[in-house]
Amino acid sequence: MYAERASRLDGAVVWINSPSGPVGPGSGRVLPDGCMDLLWHDGRLMVAGPDTRAYVTEGGPSSWAGLRFYPGTAPAFLGVPAHELRDRRVELADLWSPALVRRLTARVNAAGDPASGLEEVVLERAADVGRPDPVLRRVVVALDAGRAVAATADELGLGARQLHRRSLAAFGYGPKTLGRVLRLRRALGLARNGVPFAETAARTGYADQAHLARDVRELAGLPLGELLGRR
């Protein structure tokens, strides 16, 4: 069973995923979403970097908890450029002092709810990081609205190379890839709500339904119908 809620950290989401309930199509498949997560699993703290393709979890069903950062905000918190963690899952102790991570892990494990324990740890440390760069949020908002990369750069007063460089550090990949990932997320949201695939493609900026189908296969690793559990 998967459940999520808005975090007290601006723009972030707290989530849990437990093995109870039926297993549906696409279970164990984490789709690209432009975000990075701090994870708790089996008493360990890990970091999920930004994905450019579906990440398929290994092993049997097990309990996870996480805090999903708003796109572009995790690198400042972690102290690591996003592109260094692209398509990776790493132990938090590989990024921070092992002694510090042991203390934080003990706090999360001692919490009655690991997800809430994660949130408390993040809120405490985020207070020392400072507010995220507002330009990065504007990049996300523009691309999520379907704006072209060139138009986004112009609106922000950035050159194409500068936008690409800042995007690599903040999101893990260039703005074109980020826009593609965000478009997929919008399309899946419509399709899951029953919007016909052709209409979904038109409303989210794909050339046609075939274009949508290709993007889903490349980014999610499954045909759209199978991903959504439709036969």
Side-chain angles (χ1 to χ4, degrees), residues 15-223:
W15 58 268
I16 59 169
N17 196 5
S18 62
S20 61
V23 177
S27 295
R29 184 176 299 267
V30 181
L31 304 185
D33 59 6
C35 302
M36 296 172 61
D37 294 58
L38 180 63
L39 308 172
W40 172 92
H41 177 60
D42 285 343
R44 298 152 50 210
L45 296 184
M46 306 170 62
V47 174
D51 293 322
T52 59
R53 58 185 180 274
Y55 179 85
V56 180
T57 58
E58 299 177 351
S62 57
S63 294
W64 291 78
L67 185 139
R68 182 176 306 119
F69 290 86
Y70 187 83
T73 61
F77 175 84
L78 295 170
V80 179
H83 63 81
E84 293 187 7
L85 301 176
R86 184 172 53 231
D87 293 319
R88 297 177 62 199
R89 303 296 186 271
V90 302
E91 300 285 342
L92 183 60
D94 292 339
L95 307 179
W96 290 357
S97 157
L100 171 60
V101 174
R102 283 194 296 272
R103 292 196 297 271
L104 297 178
T105 302
R107 286 182 54 187
V108 175
N109 288 337
D113 170 16
S116 296
L118 275 178
E119 184 179 31
E120 291 299 330
V121 165
V122 170
L123 285 168
E124 181 180 293
R125 293 189 60 82
D128 298 327
V129 174
R131 296 187 61 81
D133 182 352
V135 170
L136 299 176
R137 185 177 289 263
R138 292 174 63 191
V139 170
V140 175
V141 170
L143 295 177
D144 199 26
R147 299 287 289 173
V149 171
T152 298
D154 287 344
E155 289 173 2
L156 298 176
L158 299 174
R161 290 184 179 180
Q162 186 181 13
L163 176 59
H164 188 83
R165 184 170 59 252
R166 292 177 72 165
S167 294
L168 282 178
F171 309 116
Y173 31 62
K176 183 175 180 180
T177 298
L178 176 62
R180 189 179 177 212
V181 166
L182 295 175
R183 180 175 61 181
L184 175 70
R185 189 170 65 175
R186 295 196 307 276
L188 291 178
L190 291 176
R192 287 189 178 112
N193 286 327
V195 177
F197 293 167
E199 183 181 346
T200 291
R203 288 173 59 179
T204 49
Y206 290 92
D208 50 30
Q209 184 176 333
H211 183 197
L212 167 63
R214 287 194 301 273
D215 244 30
V216 171
R217 275 187 174 275
E218 291 177 13
L219 294 174
L222 288 176

